Structures are given as C-alpha cells and as structure tokens.
Amino acid sequence: MSDDGSIITDLGLENPVPNGADTSPVAGVISQYVRDLSVENPNAPESFQWQDPPQIDVQFNISARQLNEEVSEIALKIDITSKCEAGTAFIVDLTYAGLVGMRNLDEGSMHAFTYAEAPRILFPFARRVVSDAVRDAGFPPLLLEPIDFNGLYVQQLQAQQDAETEAAEGAATN
C-alpha cells in the first residue's frame, strides 16, 4: 500500500530541532489598525449641490519601520483630494498600518513581504475605511481600484537594477 504514494513515509523526524527551536520561515500580519484618519469637507453644504464631475487625485505610499527583531509596522499612507470647478469637495488622509511578524526569513524574502505581500493584505481594509469616510462625509462612497503590489514591487526592483547597471556602465566608460 505504501508503494502507491498515498502514504507519507518520510516525516522528517530523523533530525529533531535542537531544544525545540522553531527554525521554519514564517511571516504574517499580527494586527492592523487606523493610525491616522482625517476627513475634511471644506465647502459643505455648498459642495453637495455641485453638478460638475469631480477630479479625484489619489496619492499612495508604503512605509515600514522595524519595531524589534521579528516585528515591523507597515503603513499605507493614502491621500485623496476631490476637486470640482467650484472648489474642493473633500479631502481624506489615511494612514492604515499593520504589525507584521517575520522570523527565519532571508533578507530578500523579508523585503518582499514588507513592501509587496503585507500591503496586499492590508489594502482591502484601508480601502473600506476610505469608502466609509467619504460616505460619512456626505458623498457617494469612493471605491479605490485594486493595486497590484507584487507587480509594482517587481517593477521598482527592475528599475533599481537598471539604474545600478547604467551607473556602473557610465563609470566604466569614464
């Protein structure tokens, strides 16, 4: 029966981990929270009467700070301004953060988790906070478009590598 491959025969128990230490790589979100939220409706109630379509400007930034050896805070900073010809309809500034634990990861994996995977996990919750804040300000809910954090991360790494290559080639020709 064990010849058909349906039974696990190697449990990897030959080499127990010394003193029960956990050496397996692990990463995950410990908690998440709104660190800062500001909603401004500077031209209310007149802004509710404006008929021209608003121009929505969304600025997005990811920051990280290491709190200790295994825990970092990842923050998504989202600044949104809605303007019409008559003026500013609303402004939303949100910093949505999460505590992320990482253990037994190489530096490249930690960097990728910090700037690609953790923001991907946090974003849907930040998106809901923005939508609710805009609705609570008296406007139709604003649903931010999904963001491909992994794709952006790869693009930024490639751009950084290209810039380093160009700098090295420039130095070699001088």
Side-chain angles (χ1 to χ4, degrees):
M1 182 143 185
S2 65
D3 293 336
D4 68 4
S6 63
I7 296 177
I8 299 173
T9 57
D10 181 14
L11 299 177
L13 300 176
E14 305 82 44
N15 300 319
V17 177
N19 296 327
D22 181 8
T23 58
S24 300
V26 64
V29 176
I30 298 168
S31 67
Q32 49 188 311
Y33 47 93
V34 172
R35 188 167 39 151
D36 185 34
L37 175 61
S38 170
V39 180
E40 296 178 41
N41 194 345
N43 291 301
E46 291 81 12
S47 59
F48 301 128
Q49 305 302 314
W50 298 341
Q51 297 298 315
D52 57 321
Q55 298 296 315
I56 307 288
D57 177 45
V58 179
Q59 301 295 318
F60 197 90
N61 192 23
I62 301 168
S63 64
R65 69 183 176 117
Q66 194 163 352
L67 301 177
N68 63 41
E69 188 176 303
E70 295 182 351
V71 178
S72 296
E73 180 188 57
I74 312 303
L76 307 180
K77 176 79 169 114
I78 305 169
D79 296 319
I80 302 166
T81 304
S82 173
K83 291 185 178 183
C84 295
E85 286 182 28
T88 300
F90 64 83
I91 301 168
V92 176
D93 295 324
L94 170 66
T95 301
Y96 192 83
L99 294 180
V100 174
M102 294 177 276
R103 180 178 31 211
N104 302 322
L105 293 175
D106 61 82
E107 194 166 321
S109 296
M110 287 177 68
H111 193 267
F113 191 83
T114 299
Y115 291 101
E117 189 60 19
R120 184 192 67 78
I121 294 168
L122 296 174
F123 181 72
F125 300 95
R127 182 182 189 205
R128 182 201 49 82
V129 171
V130 166
S131 177
D132 289 352
V134 171
R135 184 201 63 224
D136 291 347
F139 297 94
L142 176 65
L143 193 59
L144 296 175
E145 293 292 323
I147 298 172
D148 180 8
F149 291 100
N150 290 320
L152 290 173
Y153 180 75
V154 169
Q155 282 180 346
Q156 287 184 343
L157 283 182
Q158 186 61 50
Q160 183 179 357
Q161 289 174 350
D162 292 347
E164 291 171 0
T165 301
E166 287 179 22
E169 289 173 355
T173 58
N174 290 333

mmCIF file with all atom_site columns, all heavy atoms in Angstrom, residues 96-114:
data_model
loop_
_atom_site.group_PDB
_atom_site.id
_atom_site.type_symbol
_atom_site.label_atom_id
_atom_site.label_alt_id
_atom_site.label_comp_id
_atom_site.label_asym_id
_atom_site.label_entity_id
_atom_site.label_seq_id
_atom_site.pdbx_PDB_ins_code
_atom_site.Cartn_x
_atom_site.Cartn_y
_atom_site.Cartn_z
_atom_site.occupancy
_atom_site.B_iso_or_equiv
_atom_site.pdbx_formal_charge
_atom_site.auth_seq_id
_atom_site.auth_comp_id
_atom_site.auth_asym_id
_atom_site.auth_atom_id
_atom_site.pdbx_PDB_model_num
ATOM 1   N N   . TYR A 1 96  ? -3.100 53.717 7.326  1.00 0.00 ? 96  TYR A N   1
ATOM 2   C CA  . TYR A 1 96  ? -3.590 52.428 7.803  1.00 0.00 ? 96  TYR A CA  1
ATOM 3   C C   . TYR A 1 96  ? -2.369 51.538 7.993  1.00 0.00 ? 96  TYR A C   1
ATOM 4   O O   . TYR A 1 96  ? -1.560 51.393 7.078  1.00 0.00 ? 96  TYR A O   1
ATOM 5   C CB  . TYR A 1 96  ? -4.557 51.808 6.789  1.00 0.00 ? 96  TYR A CB  1
ATOM 6   C CG  . TYR A 1 96  ? -5.309 50.637 7.348  1.00 0.00 ? 96  TYR A CG  1
ATOM 7   C CD1 . TYR A 1 96  ? -6.451 50.836 8.117  1.00 0.00 ? 96  TYR A CD1 1
ATOM 8   C CD2 . TYR A 1 96  ? -4.876 49.338 7.139  1.00 0.00 ? 96  TYR A CD2 1
ATOM 9   C CE1 . TYR A 1 96  ? -7.146 49.770 8.653  1.00 0.00 ? 96  TYR A CE1 1
ATOM 10  C CE2 . TYR A 1 96  ? -5.562 48.264 7.673  1.00 0.00 ? 96  TYR A CE2 1
ATOM 11  C CZ  . TYR A 1 96  ? -6.696 48.485 8.431  1.00 0.00 ? 96  TYR A CZ  1
ATOM 12  O OH  . TYR A 1 96  ? -7.380 47.422 8.972  1.00 0.00 ? 96  TYR A OH  1
ATOM 13  N N   . ALA A 1 97  ? -2.226 50.975 9.170  1.00 0.00 ? 97  ALA A N   1
ATOM 14  C CA  . ALA A 1 97  ? -0.999 50.245 9.487  1.00 0.00 ? 97  ALA A CA  1
ATOM 15  C C   . ALA A 1 97  ? -1.294 48.841 9.963  1.00 0.00 ? 97  ALA A C   1
ATOM 16  O O   . ALA A 1 97  ? -2.408 48.513 10.366 1.00 0.00 ? 97  ALA A O   1
ATOM 17  C CB  . ALA A 1 97  ? -0.206 51.000 10.543 1.00 0.00 ? 97  ALA A CB  1
ATOM 18  N N   . GLY A 1 98  ? -0.256 48.032 9.918  1.00 0.00 ? 98  GLY A N   1
ATOM 19  C CA  . GLY A 1 98  ? -0.340 46.673 10.426 1.00 0.00 ? 98  GLY A CA  1
ATOM 20  C C   . GLY A 1 98  ? 0.978  46.278 11.056 1.00 0.00 ? 98  GLY A C   1
ATOM 21  O O   . GLY A 1 98  ? 2.048  46.708 10.610 1.00 0.00 ? 98  GLY A O   1
ATOM 22  N N   . LEU A 1 99  ? 0.873  45.497 12.116 1.00 0.00 ? 99  LEU A N   1
ATOM 23  C CA  . LEU A 1 99  ? 2.070  44.909 12.701 1.00 0.00 ? 99  LEU A CA  1
ATOM 24  C C   . LEU A 1 99  ? 2.292  43.579 12.011 1.00 0.00 ? 99  LEU A C   1
ATOM 25  O O   . LEU A 1 99  ? 1.373  42.754 11.926 1.00 0.00 ? 99  LEU A O   1
ATOM 26  C CB  . LEU A 1 99  ? 1.905  44.702 14.208 1.00 0.00 ? 99  LEU A CB  1
ATOM 27  C CG  . LEU A 1 99  ? 1.781  45.966 15.040 1.00 0.00 ? 99  LEU A CG  1
ATOM 28  C CD1 . LEU A 1 99  ? 1.630  45.615 16.512 1.00 0.00 ? 99  LEU A CD1 1
ATOM 29  C CD2 . LEU A 1 99  ? 2.977  46.883 14.822 1.00 0.00 ? 99  LEU A CD2 1
ATOM 30  N N   . VAL A 1 100 ? 3.499  43.389 11.523 1.00 0.00 ? 100 VAL A N   1
ATOM 31  C CA  . VAL A 1 100 ? 3.836  42.199 10.759 1.00 0.00 ? 100 VAL A CA  1
ATOM 32  C C   . VAL A 1 100 ? 4.967  41.481 11.469 1.00 0.00 ? 100 VAL A C   1
ATOM 33  O O   . VAL A 1 100 ? 5.970  42.093 11.848 1.00 0.00 ? 100 VAL A O   1
ATOM 34  C CB  . VAL A 1 100 ? 4.271  42.594 9.323  1.00 0.00 ? 100 VAL A CB  1
ATOM 35  C CG1 . VAL A 1 100 ? 4.756  41.390 8.560  1.00 0.00 ? 100 VAL A CG1 1
ATOM 36  C CG2 . VAL A 1 100 ? 3.124  43.261 8.596  1.00 0.00 ? 100 VAL A CG2 1
ATOM 37  N N   . GLY A 1 101 ? 4.785  40.176 11.641 1.00 0.00 ? 101 GLY A N   1
ATOM 38  C CA  . GLY A 1 101 ? 5.833  39.356 12.237 1.00 0.00 ? 101 GLY A CA  1
ATOM 39  C C   . GLY A 1 101 ? 6.528  38.540 11.162 1.00 0.00 ? 101 GLY A C   1
ATOM 40  O O   . GLY A 1 101 ? 5.882  37.976 10.282 1.00 0.00 ? 101 GLY A O   1
ATOM 41  N N   . MET A 1 102 ? 7.853  38.514 11.220 1.00 0.00 ? 102 MET A N   1
ATOM 42  C CA  . MET A 1 102 ? 8.654  37.728 10.279 1.00 0.00 ? 102 MET A CA  1
ATOM 43  C C   . MET A 1 102 ? 9.783  37.076 11.053 1.00 0.00 ? 102 MET A C   1
ATOM 44  O O   . MET A 1 102 ? 10.463 37.741 11.841 1.00 0.00 ? 102 MET A O   1
ATOM 45  C CB  . MET A 1 102 ? 9.229  38.618 9.164  1.00 0.00 ? 102 MET A CB  1
ATOM 46  C CG  . MET A 1 102 ? 8.190  39.198 8.254  1.00 0.00 ? 102 MET A CG  1
ATOM 47  S SD  . MET A 1 102 ? 8.880  40.297 7.005  1.00 0.00 ? 102 MET A SD  1
ATOM 48  C CE  . MET A 1 102 ? 8.973  41.822 7.939  1.00 0.00 ? 102 MET A CE  1
ATOM 49  N N   . ARG A 1 103 ? 9.955  35.777 10.814 1.00 0.00 ? 103 ARG A N   1
ATOM 50  C CA  . ARG A 1 103 ? 11.005 35.043 11.517 1.00 0.00 ? 103 ARG A CA  1
ATOM 51  C C   . ARG A 1 103 ? 11.614 34.024 10.571 1.00 0.00 ? 103 ARG A C   1
ATOM 52  O O   . ARG A 1 103 ? 10.908 33.385 9.798  1.00 0.00 ? 103 ARG A O   1
ATOM 53  C CB  . ARG A 1 103 ? 10.404 34.351 12.747 1.00 0.00 ? 103 ARG A CB  1
ATOM 54  C CG  . ARG A 1 103 ? 11.385 33.560 13.543 1.00 0.00 ? 103 ARG A CG  1
ATOM 55  C CD  . ARG A 1 103 ? 10.783 32.923 14.773 1.00 0.00 ? 103 ARG A CD  1
ATOM 56  N NE  . ARG A 1 103 ? 9.388  32.594 14.540 1.00 0.00 ? 103 ARG A NE  1
ATOM 57  C CZ  . ARG A 1 103 ? 8.441  32.592 15.467 1.00 0.00 ? 103 ARG A CZ  1
ATOM 58  N NH1 . ARG A 1 103 ? 8.713  32.898 16.685 1.00 0.00 ? 103 ARG A NH1 1
ATOM 59  N NH2 . ARG A 1 103 ? 7.209  32.276 15.168 1.00 0.00 ? 103 ARG A NH2 1
ATOM 60  N N   . ASN A 1 104 ? 12.910 33.904 10.652 1.00 0.00 ? 104 ASN A N   1
ATOM 61  C CA  . ASN A 1 104 ? 13.663 32.896 9.894  1.00 0.00 ? 104 ASN A CA  1
ATOM 62  C C   . ASN A 1 104 ? 13.524 33.073 8.380  1.00 0.00 ? 104 ASN A C   1
ATOM 63  O O   . ASN A 1 104 ? 13.470 32.106 7.639  1.00 0.00 ? 104 ASN A O   1
ATOM 64  C CB  . ASN A 1 104 ? 13.251 31.470 10.301 1.00 0.00 ? 104 ASN A CB  1
ATOM 65  C CG  . ASN A 1 104 ? 13.455 31.217 11.773 1.00 0.00 ? 104 ASN A CG  1
ATOM 66  O OD1 . ASN A 1 104 ? 14.420 31.685 12.353 1.00 0.00 ? 104 ASN A OD1 1
ATOM 67  N ND2 . ASN A 1 104 ? 12.531 30.496 12.382 1.00 0.00 ? 104 ASN A ND2 1
ATOM 68  N N   . LEU A 1 105 ? 13.440 34.339 7.940  1.00 0.00 ? 105 LEU A N   1
ATOM 69  C CA  . LEU A 1 105 ? 13.392 34.634 6.514  1.00 0.00 ? 105 LEU A CA  1
ATOM 70  C C   . LEU A 1 105 ? 14.702 35.281 6.095  1.00 0.00 ? 105 LEU A C   1
ATOM 71  O O   . LEU A 1 105 ? 15.306 36.040 6.863  1.00 0.00 ? 105 LEU A O   1
ATOM 72  C CB  . LEU A 1 105 ? 12.255 35.611 6.193  1.00 0.00 ? 105 LEU A CB  1
ATOM 73  C CG  . LEU A 1 105 ? 10.827 35.120 6.386  1.00 0.00 ? 105 LEU A CG  1
ATOM 74  C CD1 . LEU A 1 105 ? 9.857  36.266 6.147  1.00 0.00 ? 105 LEU A CD1 1
ATOM 75  C CD2 . LEU A 1 105 ? 10.516 33.982 5.448  1.00 0.00 ? 105 LEU A CD2 1
ATOM 76  N N   . ASP A 1 106 ? 15.119 35.024 4.858  1.00 0.00 ? 106 ASP A N   1
ATOM 77  C CA  . ASP A 1 106 ? 16.290 35.726 4.349  1.00 0.00 ? 106 ASP A CA  1
ATOM 78  C C   . ASP A 1 106 ? 15.895 37.176 4.066  1.00 0.00 ? 106 ASP A C   1
ATOM 79  O O   . ASP A 1 106 ? 14.716 37.520 3.993  1.00 0.00 ? 106 ASP A O   1
ATOM 80  C CB  . ASP A 1 106 ? 16.839 35.044 3.091  1.00 0.00 ? 106 ASP A CB  1
ATOM 81  C CG  . ASP A 1 106 ? 15.826 35.025 1.962  1.00 0.00 ? 106 ASP A CG  1
ATOM 82  O OD1 . ASP A 1 106 ? 15.724 36.054 1.263  1.00 0.00 ? 106 ASP A OD1 1
ATOM 83  O OD2 . ASP A 1 106 ? 15.148 33.990 1.789  1.00 0.00 ? 106 ASP A OD2 1
ATOM 84  N N   . GLU A 1 107 ? 16.885 38.044 3.907  1.00 0.00 ? 107 GLU A N   1
ATOM 85  C CA  . GLU A 1 107 ? 16.629 39.477 3.760  1.00 0.00 ? 107 GLU A CA  1
ATOM 86  C C   . GLU A 1 107 ? 15.765 39.792 2.541  1.00 0.00 ? 107 GLU A C   1
ATOM 87  O O   . GLU A 1 107 ? 14.875 40.650 2.597  1.00 0.00 ? 107 GLU A O   1
ATOM 88  C CB  . GLU A 1 107 ? 17.946 40.244 3.680  1.00 0.00 ? 107 GLU A CB  1
ATOM 89  C CG  . GLU A 1 107 ? 17.758 41.722 3.873  1.00 0.00 ? 107 GLU A CG  1
ATOM 90  C CD  . GLU A 1 107 ? 19.064 42.448 4.129  1.00 0.00 ? 107 GLU A CD  1
ATOM 91  O OE1 . GLU A 1 107 ? 19.921 41.914 4.835  1.00 0.00 ? 107 GLU A OE1 1
ATOM 92  O OE2 . GLU A 1 107 ? 19.191 43.564 3.614  1.00 0.00 ? 107 GLU A OE2 1
ATOM 93  N N   . GLY A 1 108 ? 15.985 39.103 1.433  1.00 0.00 ? 108 GLY A N   1
ATOM 94  C CA  . GLY A 1 108 ? 15.183 39.336 0.231  1.00 0.00 ? 108 GLY A CA  1
ATOM 95  C C   . GLY A 1 108 ? 13.719 38.998 0.447  1.00 0.00 ? 108 GLY A C   1
ATOM 96  O O   . GLY A 1 108 ? 12.832 39.733 0.014  1.00 0.00 ? 108 GLY A O   1
ATOM 97  N N   . SER A 1 109 ? 13.453 37.893 1.129  1.00 0.00 ? 109 SER A N   1
ATOM 98  C CA  . SER A 1 109 ? 12.066 37.496 1.408  1.00 0.00 ? 109 SER A CA  1
ATOM 99  C C   . SER A 1 109 ? 11.403 38.475 2.372  1.00 0.00 ? 109 SER A C   1
ATOM 100 O O   . SER A 1 109 ? 10.225 38.805 2.227  1.00 0.00 ? 109 SER A O   1
ATOM 101 C CB  . SER A 1 109 ? 12.020 36.081 1.985  1.00 0.00 ? 109 SER A CB  1
ATOM 102 O OG  . SER A 1 109 ? 12.491 35.149 1.050  1.00 0.00 ? 109 SER A OG  1
ATOM 103 N N   . MET A 1 110 ? 12.178 38.947 3.355  1.00 0.00 ? 110 MET A N   1
ATOM 104 C CA  . MET A 1 110 ? 11.620 39.926 4.299  1.00 0.00 ? 110 MET A CA  1
ATOM 105 C C   . MET A 1 110 ? 11.266 41.225 3.577  1.00 0.00 ? 110 MET A C   1
ATOM 106 O O   . MET A 1 110 ? 10.202 41.802 3.822  1.00 0.00 ? 110 MET A O   1
ATOM 107 C CB  . MET A 1 110 ? 12.620 40.207 5.424  1.00 0.00 ? 110 MET A CB  1
ATOM 108 C CG  . MET A 1 110 ? 12.752 39.074 6.413  1.00 0.00 ? 110 MET A CG  1
ATOM 109 S SD  . MET A 1 110 ? 13.996 39.388 7.683  1.00 0.00 ? 110 MET A SD  1
ATOM 110 C CE  . MET A 1 110 ? 13.241 40.722 8.584  1.00 0.00 ? 110 MET A CE  1
ATOM 111 N N   . HIS A 1 111 ? 12.130 41.670 2.678  1.00 0.00 ? 111 HIS A N   1
ATOM 112 C CA  . HIS A 1 111 ? 11.878 42.903 1.933  1.00 0.00 ? 111 HIS A CA  1
ATOM 113 C C   . HIS A 1 111 ? 10.633 42.745 1.052  1.00 0.00 ? 111 HIS A C   1
ATOM 114 O O   . HIS A 1 111 ? 9.779  43.629 1.007  1.00 0.00 ? 111 HIS A O   1
ATOM 115 C CB  . HIS A 1 111 ? 13.110 43.252 1.094  1.00 0.00 ? 111 HIS A CB  1
ATOM 116 C CG  . HIS A 1 111 ? 13.078 44.635 0.536  1.00 0.00 ? 111 HIS A CG  1
ATOM 117 N ND1 . HIS A 1 111 ? 12.565 44.904 -0.723 1.00 0.00 ? 111 HIS A ND1 1
ATOM 118 C CD2 . HIS A 1 111 ? 13.459 45.823 1.058  1.00 0.00 ? 111 HIS A CD2 1
ATOM 119 C CE1 . HIS A 1 111 ? 12.656 46.197 -0.937 1.00 0.00 ? 111 HIS A CE1 1
ATOM 120 N NE2 . HIS A 1 111 ? 13.196 46.786 0.117  1.00 0.00 ? 111 HIS A NE2 1
ATOM 121 N N   . ALA A 1 112 ? 10.522 41.611 0.369  1.00 0.00 ? 112 ALA A N   1
ATOM 122 C CA  . ALA A 1 112 ? 9.362  41.358 -0.493 1.00 0.00 ? 112 ALA A CA  1
ATOM 123 C C   . ALA A 1 112 ? 8.074  41.295 0.324  1.00 0.00 ? 112 ALA A C   1
ATOM 124 O O   . ALA A 1 112 ? 7.040  41.837 -0.091 1.00 0.00 ? 112 ALA A O   1
ATOM 125 C CB  . ALA A 1 112 ? 9.563  40.067 -1.284 1.00 0.00 ? 112 ALA A CB  1
ATOM 126 N N   . PHE A 1 113 ? 8.112  40.645 1.479  1.00 0.00 ? 113 PHE A N   1
ATOM 127 C CA  . PHE A 1 113 ? 6.911  40.560 2.308  1.00 0.00 ? 113 PHE A CA  1
ATOM 128 C C   . PHE A 1 113 ? 6.532  41.951 2.821  1.00 0.00 ? 113 PHE A C   1
ATOM 129 O O   . PHE A 1 113 ? 5.355  42.321 2.828  1.00 0.00 ? 113 PHE A O   1
ATOM 130 C CB  . PHE A 1 113 ? 7.097  39.597 3.484  1.00 0.00 ? 113 PHE A CB  1
ATOM 131 C CG  . PHE A 1 113 ? 5.805  39.298 4.188  1.00 0.00 ? 113 PHE A CG  1
ATOM 132 C CD1 . PHE A 1 113 ? 4.947  38.330 3.702  1.00 0.00 ? 113 PHE A CD1 1
ATOM 133 C CD2 . PHE A 1 113 ? 5.428  40.002 5.323  1.00 0.00 ? 113 PHE A CD2 1
ATOM 134 C CE1 . PHE A 1 113 ? 3.734  38.062 4.325  1.00 0.00 ? 113 PHE A CE1 1
ATOM 135 C CE2 . PHE A 1 113 ? 4.222  39.752 5.957  1.00 0.00 ? 113 PHE A CE2 1
ATOM 136 C CZ  . PHE A 1 113 ? 3.373  38.781 5.460  1.00 0.00 ? 113 PHE A CZ  1
ATOM 137 N N   . THR A 1 114 ? 7.533  42.740 3.210  1.00 0.00 ? 114 THR A N   1
ATOM 138 C CA  . THR A 1 114 ? 7.295  44.070 3.753  1.00 0.00 ? 114 THR A CA  1
ATOM 139 C C   . THR A 1 114 ? 6.669  45.011 2.731  1.00 0.00 ? 114 THR A C   1
ATOM 140 O O   . THR A 1 114 ? 5.734  45.746 3.045  1.00 0.00 ? 114 THR A O   1
ATOM 141 C CB  . THR A 1 114 ? 8.617  44.679 4.273  1.00 0.00 ? 114 THR A CB  1
ATOM 142 O OG1 . THR A 1 114 ? 9.114  43.838 5.324  1.00 0.00 ? 114 THR A OG1 1
ATOM 143 C CG2 . THR A 1 114 ? 8.419  46.086 4.793  1.00 0.00 ? 114 THR A CG2 1
#
